[in-house]
Amino acid sequence: MQNKNISSNSLTRKKALIVGAGIGGLSLAALLAKKGFVVEVFEKNESLGGRARVFSEQGFLFDMGPSWYMMPEIFSEFFSLLGEKLSDYFSLTRLTPSYRIFFSGVPYPYDFYSDREKNAQVFESLEPGSSKKLNEYLDESARQYEISKKEFIHKNYDSIFDLFNFRVMREGRKLEIFNSMERIVNRIFTHPMLRKALQFHMLLLGTAPKDAPGIYRMMNHVDYDLGIWYPDKGMYELPKAIATVAEKNGAIFHYNTPVKKIIVENGNAVGIELENGTKVYGDYVISNADLHYTDTQLLDPKYAERTEEKWNKKILAPSALIMYLGVGKQFSNLKHHNLFFSEDWKQNFKDITEVPQFPHEPSLYVCAPSKTDTHVAPLGKENLFVLVPIPAGLAYDDAQLEIWSEKVFDILEKEMHLDGLREAIEYKRIYCVKDFAMDYNSYKGSALGLAHTLTQSAFWRPNNISKKVKNLFYVGANTNPGIGMPMCVISAQTAYKRIVGITDSSPLTGL
């Protein structure tokens, strides 16, 4: 794709400085570099990817964060924008089944697919007559997904009228924005296990089903229709590919280079100051860092968008207790993605989002990528990523961390039937709230950032352009459209529109 507006040899090329090499920062770096900007990215950690980093120990390769590859068309469309083919960088495998769910007290698990006929059999076995309701529900979810893509998620918001204009109001009536996911699902389905299977995606958005706007039912279409995928060699292949494209077009990456301050002169963002005292100047500054950290540490108080008092009123997505386990045996009853749901579903969410405390009866997630990929574990062994959602800001010491971990192992061995797991562990690393805060400057150690409640979505979510500082922009999960790798890629496109002056609310079709 040729750049018609800016010559790569022009002395007047604009320079963009990006703080953070997470998915949003990487994607924006690729877009701006392709457009002809001079781009430099400054990352505090030793490698790119943000939460989507990777590490290896004793022959086990661990994706540290995101493990669900969803909405594949978002990524393929993004690479097409850059004049690239995603398939040139890695191959994708569609997971079958998409995942397996273990329910507390139920002797055997249930598999769910991106196949309506197979899922209909599961639904009918639990709730006769529910397969017809499932098809109708998914048809409507698919319509809402297309409306959201067309009218909401690629859009920049400058006033309430950008959300409630005539066209959006006409389409938005169909989205049940002011209804909750819990109310919608419970209205249609009666079996508690099916309700849980349709609502657990809300944790991927960082909120409880009772607080999640009904628009997010589109996640069921994403799951049951579009499918769950896996990139060969792991999720890290995506950020690595984006960075490769960015570098191909001239972007420069600086690792182990934390930023101390955003330099503001006469109300304009003119550069950054690094921790070592070096100052780097440019025409635009974009923060892919945690927004709370940007407000309270990178900017002088008079330029912050939100005070500490306002941040304290924000609703954060959960943090997580994560265990990276290298296991010297394989477990036949695990699939690639596995979920365990506690019996007292509402209390579990209450413990995570309201109390807060380590859940009395934790639900948890286990990813076993070695079921799909031979690259991530030695032959005959298993790579396990175990995640328990817990409250952001939860305090603990090493003794409590060990108690929680043992409770998790009890669930894995007894409820998910991973007999002999403890004895088979060859490598273990525990990652928790304090680690998220230290590695990503994440506010209160949230694993995801701001939750997707109604008052923290669309117009009410933090904007991607500073109201106080000219030429300062934001990208990533804490701005629109929100949490998740696909949304972070789109956040880069909406920030790109801001920077180059595109006001069209439709998806980008070219640079």
Side-chain angles (χ1 to χ4, degrees), residues 393-447:
L394 189 61
Y396 58 90
D397 56 25
D398 289 345
Q400 287 171 308
L401 204 58
E402 189 62 28
I403 291 170
W404 296 346
S405 299
E406 288 303 308
K407 191 170 187 176
V408 173
F409 279 123
D410 285 341
I411 293 172
L412 293 171
E413 291 188 335
K414 296 175 183 177
E415 297 275 12
M416 300 181 73
H417 314 296
L418 305 188
D419 300 326
L421 172 61
R422 284 180 173 93
E423 292 75 17
I425 293 173
E426 297 181 357
Y427 173 80
K428 179 175 77 171
R429 177 182 177 185
I430 297 178
Y431 197 93
C432 203
V433 179
K434 295 175 185 177
D435 300 293
F436 283 102
M438 180 175 66
D439 287 352
Y440 310 120
N441 296 319
S442 176
Y443 184 41
K444 296 185 179 180
S446 169

Side-chain angles (χ1 to χ4, degrees), residues 409-511:
F409 279 123
D410 285 341
I411 293 172
L412 293 171
E413 291 188 335
K414 296 175 183 177
E415 297 275 12
M416 300 181 73
H417 314 296
L418 305 188
D419 300 326
L421 172 61
R422 284 180 173 93
E423 292 75 17
I425 293 173
E426 297 181 357
Y427 173 80
K428 179 175 77 171
R429 177 182 177 185
I430 297 178
Y431 197 93
C432 203
V433 179
K434 295 175 185 177
D435 300 293
F436 283 102
M438 180 175 66
D439 287 352
Y440 310 120
N441 296 319
S442 176
Y443 184 41
K444 296 185 179 180
S446 169
L448 301 169
L450 292 174
H452 275 277
T453 61
L454 177 60
T455 56
Q456 292 181 170
S457 297
F459 168 73
W460 297 284
R461 200 166 184 83
N463 213 328
N464 60 4
I465 183 170
S466 173
K467 296 177 182 177
K468 295 187 176 183
V469 181
K470 188 177 180 182
N471 295 331
L472 174 61
F473 303 88
Y474 308 104
V475 69
N478 279 332
T479 186
N480 275 314
I483 290 170
M485 293 199 304
M487 298 301 103
C488 287
V489 167
I490 294 174
S491 80
Q493 295 173 54
T494 56
Y496 172 87
K497 289 180 183 180
R498 290 283 197 193
I499 293 168
V500 303
I502 297 174
T503 57
D504 191 346
S505 64
S506 60
L508 279 173
T509 56
L511 305 184

